């Protein structure tokens, strides 16, 4: 079994009592989820004598609670890229990942660099004056702030829609903290912006649009899996986020603040 699939999943382990394989009692709190039916589970597997593991079977669907604990991390990543709901449930509910903030900052830096690069590409002023270099540095900071504000508007649009429709989304109060973490993790597709810039070619604009579609699809799946809602509500939530984000982009354009990115312009053309 790959170590990556078992990291952070030690609560469901058991001990050996006497000569037989007698697992210990499971934890009282149900902190895991079945990746097939989304039902809560007390444990993912039990560790018997000599390192023999037995995956827990879900009492609801009679399938393994989380088959991915036996999978290599690369296989899990591929399944997540394919936007499989089971892979998303494994990552969001059954693993301990605390890179949400770092990933968010890095994605914003990637987007800010893309905007800054396109802005400098449109201004071919090569004067070596220190003031020019200082202005270019502050252009990057400005692009980062604009990207952060647009992403914030996108998240606010999603949360606002889900808050208004909360009687339809779940029987209990939605966990918006978990949803925010899921949205940040599912935005990892923005990391592809840098290779799209480095390997510049005639189809860069098309690549940026495809990256945007991939990020939106990942966000859609993250919302559906986290809140266990239907595809229609997830789609409307993403649409609401895009609407508010497009309003923010239009505001920046009306203020004559060059957002400096085909990626951002694509956002404003969604509606």
């Amino acid at each position: 079994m790959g170590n990556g699939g078992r990291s952070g999943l030690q609560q469901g382990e058991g001990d050996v009592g006497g000569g037989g394989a007698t697992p210990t009692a499971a934890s009282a709190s149900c902190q895991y989820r079945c990746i097939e039916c989304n039902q809560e589970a007390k444990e993912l597997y039990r560790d018997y004598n000599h390192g023999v593991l037995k995956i827990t079977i879900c009492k609801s669907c009679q399938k393994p609670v989380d088959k991915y604990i036996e999978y290599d991390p690369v296989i899990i990543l591929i399944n997540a890229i394919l936007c499989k709901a089971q892979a998303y449930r494994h990552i969001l509910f059954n693993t301990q990942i605390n890179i949400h903030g770092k990933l968010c900052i890095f994605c914003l830096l990637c987007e800010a660099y893309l905007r800054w690069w396109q802005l400098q590409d449109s201004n071919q002023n090569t004067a070596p004056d220190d003031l020019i270099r200082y202005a270019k540095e502050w252009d990057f900071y400005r692009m980062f702030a604009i990207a952060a504000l647009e992403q914030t508007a996108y998240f606010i649009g999603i949360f606002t829609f889900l808050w208004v429709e909360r009687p339809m989304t779940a029987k209990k109060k939605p966990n918006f903290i978990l949803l925010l973490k899921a949205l940040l993790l599912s935005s990892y597709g923005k990391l592809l912006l840098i290779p799209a810039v480095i390997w510049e070619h005639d189809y860069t604009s098309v690549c940026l649009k495809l990256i945007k579609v991939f990020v939106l699809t990942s966000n859609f799946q993250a919302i559906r899996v986290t809140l266990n809602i239907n595809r229609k509500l997830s789609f409307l939530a993403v649409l609401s986020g895009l609407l508010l984000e497009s309003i923010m982009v239009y505001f920046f354009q009306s203020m004559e603040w060059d957002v400096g990115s085909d990626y951002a312009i694509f956002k404003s053309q969604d509606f």
Side-chain angles (χ1 to χ4, degrees), residues 150 245-254 259 264 267-268:
E150 290 178 4
E245 186 181 32
S246 299
I247 293 174
M248 183 69 71
V249 173
Y250 178 78
F251 170 76
F252 289 143
Q253 291 176 346
S254 64
V259 294
K267 298 174 185 175
S268 63

Side-chain angles (χ1 to χ4, degrees), residues 3-13 31-32 44-45 93-97:
N3 293 331
R6 292 179 53 190
S7 59
L9 305 178
Q10 304 300 321
Q11 186 160 346
E13 293 183 355
Q31 63 176 2
Y32 303 119
L44 301 180
Y45 64 90
F93 298 123
N94 299 338
T95 58
Q96 296 177 356
I97 299 179

